[in-house]
Amino acid sequence: MLARAVRYALATLAGGALALPAFAQMEEIVVTATKREQTLQDIPVAVTVTQAEVINRAQIQDILDLQSIVPSLRVTQLQTSTQTNFLIRGFGNGANNPGIEPAVGVFIDGVYRSRSASQIGDLLDISRVEVLRGPQSTLFGKNASAGVISVVTQLPSYEFGGHGEISLGNYNARIVQGRVTGPISENMAYSLAGSLNQRDGYFENLFDGQDINDRDRWSLRGQLLIEPNDRHRYRVIADFARIDEHCCGVVNIVDGPTGALVRALGGDIYTGDPFDRRAFFDRQPENRVDNGGVSLQADWQFDRMSLTSITSARRQKAEFDYDTDFTSANLVPTNLNIQEIDTYTQELRLTSNGEGAFDWQLGGFFFKEDVEYRNGIFYGDVFRPYAAGLIAAATGSATVLNDLEAALGLPGGTFFAPGQGGEVDFEQDNTSYTLFAQGDWRITDRATLTAGVAYLQDRKKIVGRDTTTDVFSSLNFVDIGFAQAFGALTGLPPTPGNIGGNLVAAQQADFISVTPCSPANPPPACNSLLALYPLQFLAPIIPFDDGRSNDSRMNYTLRLAFEVNENINIYGGVSTGYKSTSWNLSRDSRPFGGPDASPLGGFDNPFYARYGTRFARPEKSTVYEIGLKAQWETLALNVAIFDQEIKDFQSNIFVGTGFVLDNAGKQSTEGVEVELMYRPTPQWELGFSGTFMNPVYDSFPGAQGVDGPVDLSGERPSGIHRQSISTAATWYWQAGQIDGFVRADYLYESNVRVVSNVPELLAERQVNMLNASTGITVSGWDVLLWGRNITGNDYLISAFPTVAQAGSFSGYPNAPRTYGVTLRRAF
C-alpha cells in the first residue's frame, strides 16, 4: 500500500507540470531499474531518470527528443520513420534490416518492444523514462547488450481527473493530447489517453514542391487497474498507434561524376547548401506503420514473497516506399518494403519481500516472434540509358548492351527494361527464453553484495525466396566469359564434347575467364564481361529454406555496494550482456565465401552468387564499472566510471549498392559519466550531465569501405562522440496567484565523423543545440512557450555513398528550429 501511495504521489506531481516546488530539498525518485522499487540514489546501477514534469516542460515528444537531456543516449532516424537506431555509450545497432535486432532493449510497462517501429511513438501517459547504461542481460534478457530504455506510464487513479492540451507551432504543427482517469468501482479504476501529432514537412522536394519530413501520427492507450484486495493487483493495457508520413529527406553532399549523366537523362540534383534541406525526388517517400498490442500484468502478494506475471501480444505492420536513387530522374522509383511482425512475450518473476539479510529474485522470460518481410525494387524508364552511359564511360563503347543482347540471341532492349527488377521474401521464426536469478546479500548494515545469473536460449529459423525479372543481373558472366575464352583459344564452339576433348584448354580458359581485362592482359586471355559485373545491382540471393541458428549464453552480474554514510553510496562490479545471431533479411543476403571462394561465385553455380553474409554472429558484451551516488538536501551527484567492450559487434555498413552485415572483432570504450542536480533555493534548479569516453575498434579487419575492405582496427567508430554534455537550468517564480518558470537546456557533442566510409571532411558533425521554454499557471490553466534547436544548429545525422552513383555522397540533415505554444488544463 505504501508503494502504491508513492506512485500516486508521483503521478500527482506529474499532473501539475508547471507547479512551483514547495521546498528546495532534493526530491526522492523511485525507480524499477532492477525490477524492484528502489530510490534512484540507493540503486547501485548507472541509470538516468527523466520524469513527466521535465518531459512536459521541455516539450519532449518521443524518445528521439529525449537524447537532448540524456547525453549517454543517442537516437538517429534515417531512411524511413521506422529506421531508428538507439545507442547507449556508443553501442547499438538495428534499423533498416528487420533481421537485425537492436542492442538497446526498449521496454514499455515491462513489455519488450523488439523493433524500433514499435518504439518511436509519442510519449503518452508517461510517469518516467529510465535509461539503464551498460549490459542488462541478467534481468532483462533478450537484446540488452548495450543498455535498456524503460518507459513507465501512469497508473489509473481512483479519483476522477485528467488533463487536455493543445500545441501549435511553426511548420503548421498541431499536437493534441489528453488523458482521463477515474474509478469504476471501489476496486477498479481506468485511464484513457490519446494524442494526435501533425506537422508539415521541413524538407522541400523541388521536383513537385511537396514537403518531406512531416509528422502525421496518432495513438491511443487504455488501462484498467483491478485490485480486489491488498494482495492482488491486475493491470490491463491496450494500445494502438499509427504513423502515416513522408520521410525522410536526403541531401546531396558531393555531386560526383554521374551527376552529368543524371541531368542528361532529364533528372536533377540539388547542389546548394545541404542545410537548405532541399532535393529532387521523382516520388514522395511513403511511410505507414500500424502498431498495437495488449498486455496483462498480474501481481500477487504473499507473506514472504510476491509473484509477477506480464503477458503481452503485439502486432506491427510497416510499409514504406521511396525513390532509391534520390534524384528526379526516373531511375529506380520503387523500393517497396512490407514487414509484419507478431510478437508474444511472457515473464514470470518471484521476488522476496525485502525482509532479512537476503533478497532474491527468480524468474523466466519467454519470447515468440514471427517476422515476414518483402522487398521489391524495380527500374524506371531511364535506367537503361543510365546503365549504358556508365558502361560507355568505363569501356569507351556505347553499344555494349546491344552487342551483348545480340550475342546472346536476346531481343534488343531486353536489359534494364522499365518494370524489371527483383523481389525478395523472408520469413523468420524466433523462439527465445531466459531463466534468471539474482540475490542481494546484506553482508553488514552498510555493505550489500549482489550476484545474478541468467541463461538465454535463442532459436531462429529463416526462409528466403527470390523472384528476379532483371535479365542482366541474372547473367553469369563467368560462364559466358569461359565460353568466349574457350572459343578464342581453341577455335571450337564451347560444347560439352569439345570441352571434354580439350581438357587442358578448358582448364586454362576456366582460369583466365575470371581475370579482368587490362592493357597488360588483353583479350582473349581475359574476361571483358567482368567490367559489367558492378552493374548487376539486383543479382539473385539464392533462395534457401534451412537457415537456422541456435544460440545459448550464461550472463552474470556481480556487484558490491557500500553505504559510506546516509548521504553517500559507492558501488563496483562487472556485468555481461548478449545479443543473439542477427540474420541478414535483405536482398544483400549472400552465402558465405570460404577461403578458396571466388568473389564472383563458382564456375558451376547457376545462380552466379556474390559471396557475403547470411548472418552476423552473436554479440557478447562486458562492463566493469565503479560508481558513486550522493545526495544532500540541495545537491545530488552521480558518477560512473566504466570500461565496456562488445566482442563480435554486429556492423551493417552501406557501400553504395547495398549493405554489408559483418562482425567487428571487438569494440570498446572507457569513460566516465557525471550527473549533477543542484537546488540552491526553491526558485532555482540546475543540472549537468556529461559523458566522456574513448571509443575504439580494438579489432575490425576487413571492414567494408566504398572501394573494398579496409582495416579499422585502432580507429574510433564513426558517430560516437568523445564528449557529450547536457546542461539545464530552471527558474521558478510566483506573483500573486500566478506560478511560472523559465527553463533552458543545452546539448554539446564533440566533433565526430558520422560514418566510416564517407570522406571525413565531407561528413563531420559537432552539436551545439539550445532548447528553451517558459510557462505560467493561472486559474488552473498552463500556458507554455517553447523552442527546440532555437539557435538553428545544423549538422548531419548520418551520411552514405549515394546509391549506384559512384563518387557521389548523400546525407541526412538534422531537424531545424521548431517553436510553438501549448495550452494545458488539468482537472
Side-chain angles (χ1 to χ4, degrees), residues 19 92 96 172 276 322 325 377 523 526 545 615 665 675 756 766 820 825:
N96 70 316
N172 196 27
D276 290 342
Y322 54 90
D325 54 273
I377 298 179
C526 67
D545 58 8
F615 57 83
E675 293 182 311
S756 60
Q766 185 182 89
R825 172 75 177 187

Side-chain angles (χ1 to χ4, degrees), residues 125-171:
D125 201 16
I126 296 299
S127 174
R128 65 184 183 274
V129 180
E130 304 174 9
V131 178
L132 286 68
R133 308 186 291 273
Q136 306 293 328
S137 294
T138 302
L139 289 180
F140 288 89
K142 186 175 174 65
N143 299 336
S145 59
V148 163
I149 301 172
S150 177
V151 179
V152 182
T153 66
Q154 298 183 50
L155 281 170
S157 171
Y158 287 98
E159 295 185 7
F160 180 77
H163 74 272
E165 68 177 59
I166 183 170
S167 299
L168 301 175
N170 61 332
Y171 298 104

